[in-house]
Amino acid sequence: MALPNLERNDTGLDSVCADIVPTPRLSMHSPIGLFDSGVGGLSVYQHLANALPYERYMYYADTLHVPYGNRDSSEIEALTLRAVDWLYQHGCKLIVMACNSASAYALTAARMRYPDVPIVGLVPALKPAVLASQTKRMAVLATKATLNGSLLNTVINDVAVPSGAEVVKYFDPDLVPWVEAGMPEDDPTAVRLRNQLSIFARDGIDYLVLGCTHYPFFSAFLQEEIAAQRLNIRVLDSGQAIAARVQHLLSMRGLLAVSAGSVLSKPPLQFYASKCDTRVLQVVKRLLGDDVLVHTISQLKA
Ligand code: DGL
């Protein structure tokens, strides 16, 4: 697949050029970068913004190429490295790869490329589910890429299997597009998800691990259904653990932003999308409210 080059964008900042990698000067005032194929990483941003409200955040959404989950590993790696290049070039002091699919195939390469900036990846929160499960049966809901990737399968082999836990992998290709479309309730995806909950319960599954950062946005829908159907199922995601990890890494490096005293409100999220249309704007506003500034990253043909 031919990847588009990124050019100078509407922020007036130069964007990535793969061959030139200057070392940005980092300080506590530098932004935290987040990356996802689309709006899913905003679920991680919400945890970060709650835990670290004085930080500045810069979010790269590759809305031109979403969803990543059905792409092959080399495509996911190339697209993800392009996003990481962009965030690095824009002076991020830490980068959160807020996408399980991207982390599965590009985390190692990104860390090797930028050893001077901490890069935090996402892996489904299976370990706490294994520890807490009574039935020792749990389901990981994720994209095909994440379910096949080595990050999750290492946790299965190192944690679940030795505990005698059985992990069911569940994949629905329509879940990410459903979230990107704003989760209309009359969509067949919602009906399928509702039915799937009773199947999980019937199979003795007591923990659902949301292994895609898009999925916490339908966590309330799941909780309502679980309560309505009186099911013994709990739902877990990685957002809170990621926020704690970011806080730890920044404080270890002396890069944690602190209250500026006179600053009463937190800075709005700077959201950059590789494709920005009315739908993207509406979904971002619906998920985050008005505390966000949306920009388009211009694209050039390769
Ligand atoms: N939010 C991404 C993840 O965590 C979605 C993947 C996709 O674009 O398919 O895996």
Side-chain angles (χ1 to χ4, degrees):
M1 184 192 109
L3 297 177
N5 292 322
L6 297 174
E7 64 171 2
R8 198 173 177 85
N9 62 47
D10 64 359
T11 63
L13 299 171
D14 286 320
S15 54
V16 70
C17 171
D19 306 326
I20 305 167
V21 186
T23 305
R25 301 249 303 274
L26 301 179
S27 77
M28 61 183 275
H29 304 295
S30 305
I32 293 174
L34 290 107
F35 160 67
D36 182 43
S37 55
V39 298
L42 293 176
S43 68
V44 179
Y45 163 74
Q46 287 176 323
H47 283 279
L48 284 166
N50 280 338
L52 305 170
Y54 304 115
E55 299 288 347
R56 291 168 50 222
Y57 296 93
M58 185 175 261
Y59 186 108
Y60 181 121
D62 194 5
T63 41
L64 190 64
H65 300 104
V66 69
Y68 276 17
N70 300 328
R71 295 177 184 274
D72 67 37
S73 55
S74 57
E75 249 184 352
I76 294 175
E77 181 181 307
L79 291 167
T80 303
L81 288 178
R82 180 156 296 213
V84 172
D85 286 344
W86 191 92
L87 291 167
Y88 182 86
Q89 298 279 324
H90 285 75
C92 292
K93 61 185 175 184
L94 179 147
I95 294 170
V96 181
M97 214 176 261
C99 175
N100 291 263
S101 312
S103 301
Y105 298 104
L107 184 59
T108 309
R111 284 177 172 163
M112 282 171 69
R113 190 181 285 208
Y114 299 115
D116 55 329
V117 170
I119 302 180
V120 176
L122 267 276
V123 61
L126 178 59
K127 191 173 174 180
V130 170
L131 295 175
S133 171
Q134 299 293 308
T135 62
K136 293 294 169 206
R137 286 174 70 81
M138 59 233 48
V140 177
L141 283 63
T143 66
K144 201 156 67 176
T146 299
L147 295 176
N148 291 336
S150 64
L151 291 184
L152 172 64
N153 285 293
T154 301
V155 183
I156 292 177
N157 292 331
D158 292 356
V159 179
V161 173
S163 308
E166 191 185 333
V167 179
V168 172
K169 293 178 172 179
Y170 179 78
F171 161 60
D172 180 339
D174 293 331
L175 286 174
V176 168
W178 182 52
V179 174
E180 292 283 325
M183 295 177 291
E185 279 194 23
D186 54 351
D187 194 279
T189 311
V191 178
R192 251 193 334 274
L193 200 51
R194 196 174 285 130
N195 294 339
Q196 188 59 40
L197 282 174
S198 16
I199 297 172
F200 286 144
R202 186 201 63 200
D203 292 346
I205 284 165
D206 66 350
Y207 271 84
L208 296 188
V209 178
L210 304 184
C212 170
T213 53
H214 281 73
Y215 299 176
F217 285 116
F218 56 73
S219 191
F221 171 87
L222 292 176
Q223 304 287 3
E224 275 168 30
E225 281 303 317
I226 287 167
Q229 298 185 40
R230 296 169 180 265
L231 305 176
N232 176 32
I233 292 181
R234 285 178 174 69
V235 181
L236 280 183
D237 67 65
S238 316
Q240 210 167 339
I242 293 298
R245 179 82 187 136
V246 168
Q247 182 159 20
H248 173 74
L249 288 170
L250 289 179
S251 101
M252 295 281 287
R253 286 167 171 75
L255 289 175
L256 208 50
V258 288
S259 165
S262 58
V263 180
L264 294 175
S265 58
K266 65 178 167 53
L269 170 67
Q270 302 288 336
F271 183 95
Y272 294 86
S274 54
K275 178 184 159 201
C276 196
D277 52 21
T278 321
R279 185 193 58 80
V280 172
L281 279 172
Q282 280 173 349
V283 174
V284 170
K285 297 274 178 190
R286 182 176 159 191
L287 297 177
L288 283 192
D290 286 330
D291 212 9
V292 54
L293 294 172
V294 179
H295 313 263
T296 307
I297 303 170
S298 307
Q299 303 288 323
L300 278 180
K301 288 263 180 285

